[in-house]
Amino acid sequence: MTDSALSNQETWSLLVLFAASVAVIANTFQGDGEPLVSSLAFGGVAFSITYSLIVWLKGTFMKANLKGRDMSKVKKVEIPETMGGVCAAVYLLLMVLFMPILFYSDIKSATADLDPLDLENGHIQIDTGRVLHRFPLGKLATYLSAMLSLALVVILGNYDDFFDIRWRHKVLIPGVASMPMLAVYFLTYGITHVVVPVQLVPYLGEMVDLGSLYYVYMAAIAIFCPNSINILAGINGIEVSQSIIIAVLLLINDMVSLSKIPGTAHPATDLHLFSIYLLLPFIGASLALLRHNWYPAKVFVGDTYCYFAGMVFAIVGILGHFSKTLLLLLIPQIINFIYSTPQLFRLIPCPRHRLPHFNARSGLLEPSMTEWQQPPSIGTTWFLNILARFPLLPLIKLVKDSEGHILKSSNLTILNLWLVWFGPRREDKLAIEVTAFQLALGLMGLFIRHELALLVFSQDNRA
Ligand code: UD1
Ligand code: MG
């Protein structure tokens, strides 16, 4: 068996999963397409295809020079890079194939008493074509806009993997890519009001209309999500594992919200179902990628995966009208971003890579350090010293010379901070712990959202 072939056991397991999933999908056409059941089966299809394609394409990617060096290993071997592109491509194509299932019952009811070829009875006007009044075009537009925004971001991720685009050039592109779905938001929903916390109601009233600022806020979410996943990266598995946890938390949020909605006619029902349809195949494709990217990684995911995953979350949050809940599930990413800002805005030198340092002797990861070519200014030294002497837990590690001048400071990512706090550890242990942290904070966020929201807001907009 070559490295680019599936083992017998893999082949049979994947074939069984694929065949069972396809059988489930085919069976749903007996009824109304059953999008929910089909979506779960699409997750199975996404897993089996992504898993196999990654194995089959590894060699091709290496030959095309799409490879990267795993820096946290004794032998810094090169492995295929940008495999998240395979994951994203499989996902996008499957989501196109999912469309007939999603709209099956709508198409059936919109055309129920129409003969599709019936020109004579006036159902189809030869000069204007036909108009299916009962077909939910808004729902179709929402779905298509989501796919377009996602595809645009995947293209950006691919270019970034090929050409290493500069941060300042690429950072705003997801905002532009979000415009199709913002346009659909404007046309189908258009609410730009935010509910004011009860404590502020006497001053601001129950609602505040943010107007066009609300669109800026949503574009900012589309910019933040992909970039924040990309900068919480650099150890095997972490990009995918954090994304799977966020997706699972969003799924839990959908299920809890659906369970609170009385009946099925509530508009929020469709929004949460839409979110579930997008997330299940995403989780399937991501699990397959994680299997290959987990320590010791056989492939890297590339920026393509980080942008792709972040945009899936932005789409689900924006089009599902629960962007604030989404932010509650991204707390580690928000902390990592805020913590990174001094380096992102070059107040502190930012090396090309900030991933933790691999100590070849111990085989463990340690905080990576950025070297100061010249001692930092008085203000920066004061700031760094405050971070280093923070009560209870230091927020940075410093190396100084005998006169107290700062020579090195640890890179400002939560991966490095974790190592500053808890000491050196193996790469997979760090990934497991940070992923568990993501899960714990996310579950807490959901608890706050669903159990404590009424302390802050006078009504739960889903109930
Ligand atoms: C972002 C981070 C950078 C971090 C990098 C790691 C910022 C501003 N940028 O940059 O600090 O070093 O991600 O992904 O925070 N790699 C490993 N092991 C892994 C994953 C990646 O060694 O588990 C290395 C490989 O050499 C791989 C490269 O990182 O080829 C990928 O880096 P890339 O995604 O291009 O970096 P950026 O996204 O630009
Ligand atoms: Mg990256």
Side-chain angles (χ1 to χ4, degrees):
M1 190 192 73
T2 66
D3 198 29
S4 293
L6 294 164
S7 70
N8 268 344
Q9 197 196 345
E10 284 173 327
T11 307
W12 283 110
S13 328
L14 291 169
L15 259 180
V16 168
L17 176 64
F18 181 78
S21 305
V22 172
V24 168
I25 295 167
N27 200 38
T28 59
F29 281 103
Q30 308 267 343
D32 269 345
E34 313 297 348
L36 196 55
V37 180
S38 297
S39 172
L40 186 62
F42 265 79
V45 175
F47 180 91
S48 44
I49 298 183
T50 308
Y51 190 106
S52 317
L53 278 181
I54 289 177
V55 173
W56 293 332
L57 292 175
K58 274 195 294 193
T60 315
F61 273 55
M62 292 294 281
K63 272 192 218 140
N65 218 19
L66 292 170
K67 53 192 175 186
R69 211 169 279 286
D70 196 341
M71 302 199 227
S72 306
K73 302 291 176 301
V74 178
K75 281 191 190 152
K76 298 196 174 5
V77 283
E78 286 189 318
I79 55 176
E81 177 73 91
T82 197
M83 275 295 172
V86 175
C87 182
V90 169
Y91 178 85
L92 280 167
L93 291 174
L94 286 179
M95 292 315 280
V96 171
L97 292 178
F98 181 64
M99 284 176 60
I101 295 168
L102 179 56
F103 292 99
Y104 190 62
S105 65
D106 295 320
I107 294 169
K108 258 182 29 183
S109 67
T111 56
D113 48 2
L114 297 181
D115 176 348
L117 301 173
D118 189 0
L119 278 176
E120 277 168 21
N121 292 334
H123 292 134
I124 303 179
Q125 305 289 334
I126 202 71
D127 43 354
T128 57
R130 73 172 170 190
V131 180
L132 295 176
H133 293 286
R134 276 169 293 165
F135 186 80
L137 276 173
K139 185 169 150 191
L140 178 65
T142 305
Y143 194 84
L144 290 177
S145 73
M147 290 307 121
L148 176 57
S149 292
L150 194 56
L152 286 172
V153 164
V154 170
I155 293 174
L156 166 69
N158 255 306
Y159 273 96
D160 197 15
D161 280 328
F162 297 156
F163 306 116
D164 235 339
I165 308 174
R166 288 202 172 173
W167 198 71
R168 60 174 177 272
H169 294 152
K170 68 186 177 190
V171 70
L172 295 178
I173 296 180
V176 179
S178 70
M179 283 182 184
M181 66 174 173
L182 296 190
V184 171
Y185 182 94
F186 173 74
L187 294 169
T188 59
Y189 188 60
I191 304 287
T192 53
H193 293 70
V194 287
V195 183
V196 173
V198 275
Q199 292 79 359
L200 297 178
V201 168
Y203 311 102
L204 299 172
E206 293 213 338
M207 298 261 190
V208 168
D209 184 8
L210 295 182
S212 46
L213 271 186
Y214 198 78
Y215 291 89
V216 176
Y217 155 72
M218 288 190 288
I221 292 213
I223 293 170
F224 176 75
C225 292
N227 284 298
S228 68
I229 306 254
N230 190 32
I231 62 169
L232 184 42
I235 58 169
N236 292 177
I238 196 72
E239 297 95 328
V240 192
S241 62
Q242 65 183 297
S243 302
I244 291 176
I245 295 294
I246 296 167
V248 168
L249 290 165
L250 285 167
L251 262 188
I252 297 175
N253 176 58
D254 290 325
M255 290 189 287
V256 175
S257 303
L258 282 173
S259 72
K260 284 186 184 173
I261 296 171
T264 52
H266 196 286
T269 306
D270 264 353
L271 299 176
H272 285 290
L273 286 173
F274 172 83
S275 158
I276 295 176
Y277 302 150
L278 256 64
L279 291 170
L280 286 173
F282 172 80
I283 293 174
S286 297
L287 281 172
L289 181 61
L290 183 64
R291 187 80 181 77
H292 298 286
N293 177 239
W294 188 253
Y295 178 91
K298 306 279 182 308
V299 305
F300 284 137
V301 302
D303 293 338
T304 310
Y305 181 79
C306 303
Y307 290 146
F308 160 61
M311 200 60 178
V312 169
F313 305 145
I315 289 170
V316 163
I318 292 173
L319 293 178
H321 310 164
F322 48 82
S323 56
K324 288 189 289 312
T325 307
L326 170 66
L327 289 178
L328 216 50
L329 304 181
L330 293 176
I331 288 176
Q333 286 68 25
I334 295 173
I335 298 174
N336 189 54
F337 172 72
I338 295 172
Y339 186 54
S340 293
T341 44
Q343 282 195 299
L344 298 180
F345 295 110
R346 309 287 152 163
L347 302 171
I348 293 178
C350 186
R352 167 69 184 85
H353 281 290
R354 305 193 297 158
L355 49 88
H357 169 71
F358 175 68
N359 182 331
R361 277 172 197 230
S362 62
L364 303 178
L365 294 184
E366 297 168 353
S368 63
M369 308 293 285
T370 186
E371 287 195 32
W372 289 84
Q373 303 302 336
Q374 298 152 358
S377 66
I378 298 175
T380 311
T381 305
W382 174 80
F383 174 65
L384 292 177
N385 278 325
I386 287 196
L387 289 186
R389 290 196 209 117
F390 219 70
L392 300 179
L393 287 170
L395 291 183
I396 198 168
K397 183 177 162 189
L398 300 176
V399 174
K400 297 180 181 176
D401 66 12
S402 53
E403 288 164 26
H405 295 132
I406 295 171
L407 301 177
K408 294 179 188 176
S409 57
S410 55
N411 283 310
L412 301 174
T413 71
I414 61 167
L415 297 178
N416 287 311
L417 188 60
W418 198 274
L419 295 167
V420 170
W421 284 352
F422 304 114
R425 56 236 302 108
R426 225 173 74 161
E427 191 173 359
D428 51 345
K429 195 166 174 230
L430 179 61
I432 290 171
E433 289 171 355
V434 174
T435 306
F437 176 64
Q438 175 95 50
L439 179 63
L441 281 188
L443 289 174
M444 227 161 70
L446 283 183
F447 178 76
I448 293 171
R449 163 67 188 85
H450 289 282
E451 300 301 324
L452 304 182
L454 290 176
L455 294 181
V456 183
F457 297 107
S458 58
Q459 53 174 347
D460 184 335
N461 56 354
R462 291 278 172 258

